[in-house]
Amino acid sequence: MTDMTYNAAPGRYDEMAYRRTGRSGIDLPLLSLGLWHNFGDDRPLDTQRAILRRAFDLGITHIDLANNYGPPYGSAEANFGRILATDFKPYRDELFLSTKAGWDMWPGPYGEYGSRKYLLASLDQSLKRMGVDYVDVFYSHRFDPKTPLEETMGALDTAVRSGRALYAGISSYSPERTNEAHRILTDLGTPLFIHQPSYSMLNRWIEPELLPTLDELGVGCIAFSPLAQGMLTSKYLDGIPADSRMAEDSSLPREFLTDDVLRRLRALNDIAAERGQSLAQLALAWAMRDERVTSVLIGASSVAQLEDNVATLGNRDFDDAELAAIDELAVDSGIDVWQESSTS
């Protein structure tokens, strides 16, 4: 049983590195903790608490959620809310909390996408589950091609003006839609704060246009799935383990692990070994190499895994030869399951 008395480590800000989010006043940790997996009702609450405590003690101030994280939907927010109440309530002003709405959450025509009704109803539910008065960022989780962007961005503006969120964000929007969203929010007087795209060595779609767009607009970028849902770890180097996401064939289809991808993963693992890193640490260091990437989202199923990921910060610089060798192997590999939203 985890000790219920928690006092944050006095030196929690000493080792973590932080970057400014676009042209805002906010610094985010280079590594942020996402609760997409491992924080639903299928995992012990004590394990979740231990991970969150250790993350905060290591200087990870940003916790990233969404309405349908679980399983079941909503349970990650509810579980986080329980832990916030018992452990982190005195530290709320040191935490940066985000949540999102856009993917399916409840049945019927008002339970997904980008309508004003769905987004604001979902935000109210999220605040109730977490037991907070506001979140720091509220995201449109995906572009909705059937709803006017003015309506979706208007809902984000309302969320901010009503005090339910401090900043507005978007996720998996194309460069063109990002420009439109930025224009609409600017006209409304609520700046676009941050974009959350998928990004990894196997999924580099943001580099040609989106990163330059965000840089020009002064919008932050937080990359999710930097380990390609586990593909950029040692887990798949010898095939598909029985206890993996790919074995479940859920959010990570088996067909993603082609012979060519496996060959490149093994070669990247060799580069990591030469640097004294794991493949996961190499992938995280690579994802944060560009100063335009404000933060990189990691998940964690254990304290040990969290600590291993954070250890990346001690070896995140590359020389030109390393980057050239990685570039030959780190090519788009057809694994972007969010492509439909980000190209609409």
Side-chain angles (χ1 to χ4, degrees), residues 61 96 100 149 162 182 204 226 265 279 302 324:
T61 54
F96 204 83
K100 317 177 199 72
L149 197 54
S162 66
H182 177 270
R204 301 179 64 169
L265 290 177
L279 176 56
S302 67

Side-chain angles (χ1 to χ4, degrees), residues 291-307:
E291 293 286 336
R292 295 172 297 181
V293 176
T294 312
S295 184
V296 176
L297 270 173
I298 57 172
S301 59
S302 67
V303 170
Q305 186 182 59
L306 172 73
E307 291 175 338

Side-chain angles (χ1 to χ4, degrees), residues 92 97-99 116-128 130 132-139 154-168:
R92 172 63 185 95
L97 308 181
S98 62
T99 195
R116 180 180 182 84
K117 178 175 176 62
Y118 168 56
L119 293 178
L120 293 178
S122 179
L123 176 57
D124 287 340
Q125 291 180 18
S126 292
L127 295 177
K128 185 176 180 180
M130 289 189 281
V132 296
D133 296 326
Y134 71 95
V135 290
D136 295 280
V137 186
F138 182 51
Y139 287 90
L156 296 185
D157 175 65
T158 295
V160 171
R161 289 183 180 277
S162 66
R164 286 175 276 183
L166 300 186
Y167 299 93

Side-chain angles (χ1 to χ4, degrees), residues 10-318:
R12 57 189 174 276
Y13 299 115
D14 294 345
E15 302 300 327
M16 178 57 63
Y18 298 84
R19 275 186 188 159
R20 186 54 52 108
T21 308
R23 288 195 287 270
S24 76
I26 292 295
D27 288 335
L28 290 180
L30 271 187
L31 290 173
S32 297
L33 182 62
L35 308 193
W36 179 18
H37 297 283
N38 305 309
F39 287 83
D41 289 347
D42 58 338
R43 301 297 173 98
L45 195 65
D46 276 356
T47 301
Q48 299 178 34
R49 177 178 284 112
I51 293 169
L52 285 163
R53 286 182 175 185
R54 186 61 178 141
F56 190 57
D57 284 347
L58 290 169
I60 296 178
T61 54
H62 180 213
I63 308 298
D64 179 82
L65 296 116
N67 55 358
N68 62 356
Y69 288 175
Y73 287 176
S75 60
E77 290 181 327
N79 289 333
F80 175 76
R82 294 185 186 101
I83 297 168
L84 177 67
T86 58
D87 291 62
F88 296 103
K89 192 172 183 180
Y91 306 104
R92 172 63 185 95
D93 290 338
E94 295 183 46
L95 290 170
F96 204 83
L97 308 181
S98 62
T99 195
K100 317 177 199 72
W103 295 94
D104 59 302
M105 181 59 190
W106 61 81
Y110 316 122
E112 63 177 325
Y113 285 110
S115 72
R116 180 180 182 84
K117 178 175 176 62
Y118 168 56
L119 293 178
L120 293 178
S122 179
L123 176 57
D124 287 340
Q125 291 180 18
S126 292
L127 295 177
K128 185 176 180 180
R129 280 190 291 268
M130 289 189 281
V132 296
D133 296 326
Y134 71 95
V135 290
D136 295 280
V137 186
F138 182 51
Y139 287 90
S140 166
H141 207 170
R142 62 166 164 170
F143 174 70
D144 178 0
K146 296 183 178 180
T147 298
L149 197 54
E150 287 79 4
E151 178 174 344
T152 301
M153 295 303 106
L156 296 185
D157 175 65
T158 295
V160 171
R161 289 183 180 277
S162 66
R164 286 175 276 183
L166 300 186
Y167 299 93
I170 58 176
S171 179
S172 298
Y173 275 51
S174 69
E176 294 78 14
R177 299 302 183 186
T178 297
N179 264 310
E180 290 181 45
H182 177 270
R183 175 186 56 78
I184 294 166
L185 284 170
T186 299
D187 289 346
L188 291 170
T190 296
L192 177 59
F193 171 70
I194 199 166
H195 188 301
Q196 187 176 131
S198 60
Y199 181 52
S200 72
M201 286 178 167
L202 303 180
N203 176 25
R204 301 179 64 169
W205 74 276
I206 71 173
E207 293 177 2
E209 295 183 58
L210 184 60
L211 275 178
T213 295
L214 297 176
D215 189 43
E216 180 181 351
L217 298 176
V219 175
C221 175
I222 179 166
F224 77 88
S225 201
L227 301 182
Q229 298 194 68
M231 289 179 69
L232 286 164
T233 70
S234 60
K235 181 175 290 186
Y236 296 100
L237 294 177
D238 297 315
I240 302 175
D243 62 346
S244 64
R245 280 189 221 176
M246 195 169 283
E248 297 170 357
D249 206 22
S250 53
S251 60
L252 189 59
R254 288 173 176 265
E255 57 265 28
F256 284 1
L257 194 66
T258 64
D259 289 342
D260 178 61
V261 169
L262 186 56
R263 174 191 65 80
R264 288 187 283 110
L265 290 177
R266 288 169 175 165
L268 288 167
N269 188 59
D270 290 340
I271 295 174
E274 291 173 4
R275 287 170 49 87
Q277 290 181 309
S278 66
L279 176 56
Q281 290 170 336
L282 175 74
L284 292 174
W286 181 89
M288 64 178 72
R289 77 199 185 286
D290 192 318
E291 293 286 336
R292 295 172 297 181
V293 176
T294 312
S295 184
V296 176
L297 270 173
I298 57 172
S301 59
S302 67
V303 170
Q305 186 182 59
L306 172 73
E307 291 175 338
D308 187 67
N309 286 341
V310 174
T312 303
L313 297 175
N315 185 12
R316 58 188 177 93
D317 296 325
F318 295 90

